[in-house]
Amino acid sequence: MQVTVVQGDITVQDVDAVVNAANRRMRGGGGVDGAIHAAGGPEVLEDCRRRFPDGLATGAAGWTTAGRMPARWVIHVVGPNWNRGERDRSLLVSCYTGALAVADELGARSVAFPLVSAGVYGWPREDAIRAAIDTLRATPTGVEEARIVAYGRSALDEVASALGD
């Protein structure tokens, strides 16, 4: 699988699936989650309510429609919240392995990922980048491209540098 990085808005990526860094309730929120719900429209929230009436556990993954976004699916993952003491790295890693497993179930060949937990959840960015890249590279999958979408220039530069390691 090819792991790439771009700077931009995850909601406009021309991929089969986008990964949402969701909260446990699965009802929308801030950051990537809010952007995906806003861009996808009410269809995403309706599908979340129908498919995940009790939400998702930290580290878990599941899918919904992408609604009005160019992607076909949203793969929702619930990353650990560093700021609330959730510091088990295996939960962060499971977001990436779980997303790839869901992508394989769906037949998705291209998937756009945010840096899960590296925003408002406060996971140290350098470790979040390393967890993402190492897990994406090491996990057997039918996905052909895992695209990390960096929101800002500094994140883009850090991911690009780590990909070169």
Side-chain angles (χ1 to χ4, degrees):
M1 169 180 46
Q2 181 180 15
V3 180
T4 62
V5 62
V6 298
Q7 181 181 347
D9 179 348
I10 198 165
T11 68
V12 299
Q13 299 299 306
D14 185 15
V15 292
D16 295 329
V18 296
V19 174
N20 179 20
N23 60 51
R24 286 188 205 113
R25 291 182 339 111
M26 304 287 294
R27 302 298 181 259
V32 171
D33 193 25
I36 283 176
H37 277 269
E43 298 89 347
V44 176
L45 180 57
E46 289 167 14
D47 213 10
C48 281
R49 286 184 174 140
R50 183 178 60 78
R51 297 177 57 80
F52 307 103
D54 300 317
L56 276 174
T58 301
W63 67 273
T64 64
T65 179
R68 301 173 186 162
M69 287 183 285
R72 184 168 177 192
W73 301 286
V74 175
I75 300 172
H76 303 267
V77 299
V78 179
N81 188 330
W82 180 277
N83 293 330
R84 291 195 179 153
E86 296 175 343
R87 299 185 179 180
D88 181 349
R89 193 173 194 262
S90 69
L91 292 172
L92 180 59
V93 168
S94 73
C95 290
Y96 292 97
T97 58
L100 290 173
V102 170
D104 285 341
E105 289 173 22
L106 295 169
R109 295 291 171 248
S110 56
V111 181
F113 289 84
L115 288 173
V116 177
S117 293
V120 297
Y121 279 12
W123 200 276
R125 191 157 68 181
E126 183 178 334
D127 189 55
I129 290 168
R130 196 78 263 155
I133 292 170
D134 292 349
T135 305
L136 292 171
R137 285 180 169 164
T139 305
T141 181
V143 172
E144 295 167 4
E145 180 193 6
R147 182 181 306 167
I148 298 172
V149 181
Y151 186 70
R153 180 63 195 215
S154 62
L156 173 74
D157 292 344
E158 290 175 49
V159 174
S161 176
L163 281 171
D165 290 353

